[in-house]
Amino acid sequence: MESVTVLDRIKRLQGKNAVILFGKTRAGKSTFINDAYMKKVFKSTKSIMSDTNEISYANRPIRVDDHEVFLVDTIGLGGSGEYHDRASFAWKWLRILHPGKNRKSPLKPTIKGILYVIDIMDGAMNEDNIRNLETFKALVGEEVLESVVFVTTKWVTNAEQSTRKRLETNFVGWAEKIHRDFPGASILRLDDTTGRLDEEDLKELSSAERTKKQREYHDNAMRVLRQLLMKTATQPILAEREMYAGGQGMKAGQTTLGRTVVGHLSDDIERTHDKTIIQRLKRAIQAIKNTVMMKTFFPTENQEVEGTKST
């Protein structure tokens, strides 16, 4: 496997062409990166539990035409594990984006492009997906949307007509939502013509057939990256700008991302009668509202926002 580095500070990516992958747990973020490298860089799984527990990137960049690109894998939005909820996601990113005491030099875009990965089988524009999109937009802002590509994965080429029709309906629903709420962003299909075999099925192929399939997956990923790199970001994402401008007393709850997550948690409190869950949600809200991010620049373990999943 390629060696990887945990992304603890955004300055690690300065001077690099960094592309960040976002999306729900098991949407295919890690798999996309593995396809691009044609080897296993990050663990990927068919389990409902995510294998991605850290925000990290491969130390060796991948070449996309004339660009050397660093692909950053992230924990899932609204995912499966205790620390894969949106509050923990927001906390991790605000801590990564915090400039510390380094505010002397002008703020320049570090993240050059953003991929938001969508499992096309997950077609319902339900509350969970809507909240994920709201959290994502609160993180990146509107000014960089031309540098955002939403990519749909897990298309089934040999599906029955009814299944294929459902996938196309899902795509139309996602496209309408994205064009309405994320003007300037693009939406692409990753593997709708090639389909995708899981790892067990790939192992049953001959070496030549397996290599052919892996090349197809690689070409699909390269096509998406080329599209993304046609319009790289000309300014930092919203949360990075807010953390830079907020001064050393900036609190997580003063950011757009923090306020958005607090709103979601507050809504959850109104919907449950479980006192244990209510107390956990309230503690998460207070942590986001009141924590001065400068004090988390070298955090201790008890400064993490605890998992807030209510189900």
Side-chain angles (χ1 to χ4, degrees):
M1 290 177 65
E2 294 279 337
S3 62
V4 301
T5 294
V6 173
L7 182 60
D8 55 351
R9 296 286 174 258
I10 195 65
K11 66 180 182 181
R12 289 188 182 274
L13 297 176
Q14 288 176 354
K16 298 178 171 68
N17 289 317
V19 171
I20 315 291
L21 282 84
F22 294 101
K24 203 171 184 177
T25 299
R26 297 183 64 246
K29 301 180 295 296
S30 302
T31 300
F32 182 96
I33 295 176
N34 294 341
D35 288 347
Y37 278 90
M38 288 190 69
K39 63 171 64 175
K40 180 163 285 190
V41 181
F42 296 104
K43 290 182 180 179
S44 59
T45 181
K46 294 190 294 181
S47 166
I48 62 171
M49 301 300 289
S50 174
D51 274 333
T52 304
N53 295 311
E54 298 285 354
I55 299 170
S56 53
Y57 62 94
N59 291 323
R60 181 177 65 86
I62 188 169
R63 179 164 288 279
V64 183
D65 298 331
D66 295 331
H67 303 276
E68 287 194 337
V69 177
F70 289 82
L71 300 177
V72 182
D73 197 16
T74 65
I75 60 174
L77 267 165
S80 53
E82 181 181 3
Y83 290 95
H84 286 77
D85 57 87
R86 282 173 287 267
S88 296
F89 171 92
W91 186 266
K92 282 179 179 289
W93 271 107
L94 289 175
R95 200 172 68 195
I96 287 170
L97 295 170
H98 196 285
K101 297 179 180 180
N102 182 25
R103 290 182 171 85
K104 295 180 180 179
S105 56
L107 188 61
K108 297 180 180 179
T110 304
I111 300 169
K112 299 300 176 63
I114 299 165
L115 292 177
Y116 189 105
V117 183
I118 299 167
D119 179 352
I120 196 59
M121 301 293 288
D122 184 12
M125 194 50 62
N126 54 31
E127 184 179 53
D128 193 40
N129 285 329
I130 291 173
R131 283 186 173 190
N132 286 344
L133 290 175
E134 289 173 347
T135 303
F136 173 68
K137 192 170 185 179
L139 173 68
V140 304
E142 296 186 351
E143 292 80 359
V144 300
L145 289 182
E146 289 190 349
S147 305
V148 174
V149 171
F150 291 83
V151 55
T152 56
T153 64
K154 302 185 182 181
W155 289 85
V156 182
T157 55
N158 59 349
E160 296 180 355
Q161 184 175 359
S162 58
T163 300
R164 185 70 189 190
K165 184 177 180 180
R166 177 167 61 86
L167 298 183
E168 291 293 343
T169 300
N170 292 350
F171 183 83
V172 170
W174 278 102
E176 289 177 347
K177 176 71 173 176
I178 288 164
H179 292 324
R180 181 174 64 250
D181 295 349
F182 296 84
S186 305
I187 180 169
L188 299 176
R189 304 165 186 241
L190 177 65
D191 46 15
D192 67 319
T193 59
T194 62
R196 183 169 199 95
L197 298 177
D198 61 32
E199 289 190 12
E200 294 303 316
D201 290 334
L202 275 175
K203 290 177 181 177
E204 295 181 2
L205 300 178
S206 67
S207 176
E209 290 174 326
R210 186 164 57 250
T211 300
K212 180 181 178 181
K213 274 293 180 185
Q214 290 171 335
R215 172 57 64 178
E216 287 179 353
Y217 303 156
H218 169 80
D219 290 345
N220 289 341
M222 288 296 104
R223 174 174 54 84
V224 170
L225 289 172
R226 288 189 182 97
Q227 171 81 15
L228 179 67
L229 293 171
M230 289 177 64
K231 290 186 177 180
T232 56
T234 58
Q235 59 181 301
I237 63 175
L238 175 61
E240 188 174 4
R241 297 198 311 271
E242 290 179 335
M243 296 298 288
Y244 184 87
Q248 295 189 17
M250 183 75 167
K251 296 179 180 179
Q254 293 175 299
T255 65
T256 303
L257 178 58
R259 290 194 299 270
T260 298
V261 171
V262 165
H264 293 161
L265 296 176
S266 299
D267 289 343
D268 289 340
I269 288 175
E270 296 297 321
R271 299 176 185 180
T272 183
H273 299 289
D274 188 309
K275 293 182 179 179
T276 301
I277 292 175
I278 290 172
Q279 289 303 313
R280 189 163 66 241
L281 294 172
K282 285 183 175 180
R283 286 196 298 270
I285 288 173
Q286 290 305 309
I288 294 172
K289 279 186 173 182
N290 298 328
T291 299
V292 177
M293 292 307 299
M294 186 65 188
K295 294 181 179 179
T296 72
F297 199 63
F298 298 102
T300 58
E301 185 176 351
N302 62 6
Q303 287 174 314
E304 291 282 358
V305 173
E306 64 177 300
T308 56
K309 285 184 71 66
S310 56
T311 57

